[in-house]
Amino acid sequence: TWIGKISYGIYMYHYLFFGFIVETFVSKWGIGRSFWSELLLCFIVLGVSIAVSALSFYAMERPILRLKSRFVDKK
């Protein structure tokens, strides 16, 4: 269920980090030209995406979701 809670952040941030990390590692440093280095890059991108998504959920989304109860009609 934890991945489900942060899944929107993964959706939002994954492509951004994928582009940045691949651009940095492959284009500038030449890393990622073999199967194992590409696999390592995939795990790095996935790890960064999950970490930033979790941080985003707990720092931004959850406080905003807590405010939702103030605006819902309780009839």
Side-chain angles (χ1 to χ4, degrees):
T1 60
W2 182 73
I3 290 289
K5 289 180 182 179
I6 66 167
S7 65
Y8 182 71
I10 293 172
Y11 168 75
M12 294 297 294
Y13 298 120
H14 184 73
Y15 186 73
L16 174 73
F17 288 113
F18 181 78
F20 174 74
I21 290 174
V22 168
E23 176 69 26
T24 300
F25 281 89
V26 175
S27 298
K28 294 183 181 176
W29 296 342
I31 299 171
R33 308 256 185 236
S34 71
F35 170 76
W36 295 109
S37 58
E38 285 185 16
L39 186 63
L40 178 63
L41 283 177
C42 288
F43 281 114
I44 290 171
V45 169
L46 182 62
V48 169
S49 296
I50 289 174
V52 170
S53 298
L55 181 67
S56 171
F57 177 76
Y58 290 110
M60 290 189 312
E61 292 177 45
R62 199 163 89 179
I64 291 171
L65 289 172
R66 286 182 183 157
L67 293 174
K68 185 171 64 172
S69 64
R70 295 181 184 181
F71 299 102
V72 175
D73 188 18
K74 298 183 182 189
K75 288 185 181 178

